[in-house]
Amino acid sequence: MKKIIILYSTSGLGHYNSAKAIKEVLEKSKDIDVKLINILDYGNEFFRFLHFKFYVSLMKYAKPLWGALYAFAELPGISMILRKGLHFTDRQNWSGLEKILIEEKPDAIVSTHFFLTSLASAIKKHKDIKPKLYLMVSGFGMHNVWFSREIDHFFTGIESAKKEMINRGIPAGKVTVTGMPSPMEFCREYDVEDLKKTY
């Protein structure tokens, strides 16, 4: 039986919903054991602040500032500093997750959060775990934090995101456009009039 761990973060519902949808599909196979892991459960207070409180606060109260920071972080020099700082912080907070991975020994790790790009190199060099690494880009645009040459394969929601990845140096054969994973409740048919009355 293949064992797959799906990493996500509750810092955004997109990360969680994508992870949940992937899990629902994989669970249909009797040959796959799937486990969801929230990365926020394995970091210190600063890590949780950075990946949750800081992000959610900006999205809720200061979207223009978030947009400006997002664009600023794409500038070549700034991007490199940001990535190194983010990767350093993430690697300092992965010991709890490392223990779980050693215990579980997954055949593959699928992540719907860019956190995996920080850990990819450490995982690839690890003597006790040898999983394949897959990244589902849970957004419709690309940012430098989603890139790592250590990732075995990327999945994107739309073709333009794939083109952007290729332009940034990711081989075309390592990127597949799948559409955005959606939980089953988004695929069912509902009574529209009933929903209008309810909501």
Side-chain angles (χ1 to χ4, degrees):
M1 178 175 284
K2 296 287 185 183
K3 185 171 285 187
I4 298 176
I5 284 179
I6 302 174
L7 301 178
Y8 71 96
S9 166
T10 46
S11 57
L13 279 177
H15 300 301
Y16 172 66
N17 280 329
S18 291
K20 181 180 168 187
I22 293 168
K23 182 175 185 279
E24 285 175 350
V25 172
L26 292 175
E27 281 181 327
K28 292 178 181 179
S29 172
K30 293 177 182 178
D31 300 323
I32 299 176
D33 177 26
V34 192
K35 185 171 191 172
L36 279 180
I37 292 180
N38 183 357
I39 63 164
L40 294 178
D41 293 338
Y42 296 94
N44 61 23
E45 195 59 39
F46 178 71
F47 176 82
R48 287 192 292 274
F49 167 79
L50 185 66
H51 283 290
F52 181 69
K53 292 177 185 174
F54 177 69
Y55 171 76
V56 171
S57 295
L58 284 177
M59 290 301 292
K60 192 171 184 181
Y61 303 111
K63 285 183 182 176
L65 176 59
W66 173 250
L69 288 173
Y70 194 91
F72 182 65
E74 281 282 87
L75 298 174
I78 301 299
S79 174
M80 185 180 71
I81 294 168
L82 171 74
R83 281 172 59 83
K84 286 189 175 180
L86 192 60
H87 287 187
F88 176 79
T89 301
D90 289 346
R91 282 195 296 269
Q92 298 305 304
N93 284 275
W94 95 288
S95 58
L97 179 60
E98 181 185 17
K99 288 175 186 173
I100 293 289
L101 295 180
I102 291 171
E103 287 172 14
E104 297 285 339
K105 287 191 170 42
D107 296 287
I109 296 172
V110 179
S111 182
T112 60
H113 190 275
F114 57 80
F115 174 73
L116 184 61
T117 63
S118 296
L119 304 183
S121 181
I123 292 172
K124 287 290 187 181
K125 293 174 184 173
H126 205 288
K127 62 184 178 64
D128 297 318
I129 49 175
K130 301 294 176 188
K132 289 286 188 180
L133 303 179
Y134 301 98
L135 190 62
M136 177 70 225
V137 181
S138 53
F140 292 106
M142 291 307 304
H143 194 278
N144 281 327
V145 296
W146 286 99
F147 292 94
S148 169
R149 299 194 183 278
E150 304 291 339
I151 300 296
D152 291 297
H153 204 87
F154 296 85
F155 300 95
T156 67
I158 54 176
E159 188 67 37
S160 60
K162 176 178 180 176
K163 288 177 182 174
E164 209 171 326
M165 295 189 85
I166 294 168
N167 289 340
R168 296 190 193 206
I170 302 296
K174 288 182 69 172
V175 187
T176 301
V177 180
T178 59
M180 198 62 69
S182 299
M184 289 306 297
E185 57 260 36
F186 291 101
C187 302
R188 299 188 189 116
E189 289 192 15
Y190 294 91
D191 185 316
V192 176
E193 293 307 316
D194 188 49
L195 288 175
K196 286 179 180 177
K197 288 175 187 174
T198 305
Y199 299 104

